[in-house]
Amino acid sequence: MSTHDDGHTIAGWVGCTIGTVGALVAGMGVTGWDPGIWLGLGIMVVALLVTWALHLAGWGKPSGPRPAGRRTFRTKDHAAREGHDNCVGCRMAGRRGARAVS
């Protein structure tokens, strides 16, 4: 199996799909449909928020590759409750990740 493990999650696929629809709608706006650009940008913002919510719900993954046995996109990440180390999305939600015990 490949060592690449980027975006192979429910959060990644759903966010990409919604974002693609937003880009298509914005593209229709560029070609002349007046509300298209703003509607498309709104859909892209929704894609961002849905992806973030799914990541926080455990359907995303931390940075870097996961162990080979946990690479299927349907694998839920139970560590997301505490937050991932060095994860901007988790920090924005107030989750700081595992703390080192001194």
Side-chain angles (χ1 to χ4, degrees), residues 3 5-6 24 35-36 40 42 44 55-56 60 65 70 76 78 87 92:
T3 59
D5 186 37
D6 297 327
L24 289 171
M44 287 188 239
H55 173 78
L56 294 175
R70 297 193 44 88
K76 190 162 185 175
H78 297 289
C87 177
M92 288 173 56

Side-chain angles (χ1 to χ4, degrees), residues 4 11 14 18 24 31 34-35 44 54 56-58 62 65-66 70 73-75 78-79 81-83 90 93-94:
H4 299 288
V14 169
I18 297 171
L24 289 171
T31 61
D34 289 335
M44 287 188 239
L54 286 170
L56 294 175
R66 294 174 285 188
R70 297 193 44 88
F73 79 98
R74 290 185 208 127
T75 302
H78 297 289
R81 290 181 188 150
E82 290 82 34
C90 289

Side-chain angles (χ1 to χ4, degrees), residues 3-101:
T3 59
H4 299 288
D5 186 37
D6 297 327
H8 299 291
T9 63
I10 297 290
W13 282 104
V14 169
C16 183
T17 302
I18 297 171
T20 300
V21 170
L24 289 171
V25 171
M28 290 170 47
V30 170
T31 61
W33 185 46
D34 289 335
I37 292 176
W38 296 110
L39 185 60
L41 289 174
I43 292 171
M44 287 188 239
V45 169
V46 168
L48 178 75
L49 295 174
V50 166
T51 303
W52 185 34
L54 286 170
H55 173 78
L56 294 175
W59 292 109
K61 70 175 204 65
S63 299
R66 294 174 285 188
R70 297 193 44 88
R71 287 192 184 158
T72 63
F73 79 98
R74 290 185 208 127
T75 302
K76 190 162 185 175
D77 179 19
H78 297 289
R81 290 181 188 150
E82 290 82 34
H84 301 114
D85 291 331
N86 301 320
C87 177
V88 174
C90 289
R91 282 189 197 157
M92 288 173 56
R95 299 176 184 182
R96 301 291 178 204
R99 297 240 183 353
V101 178

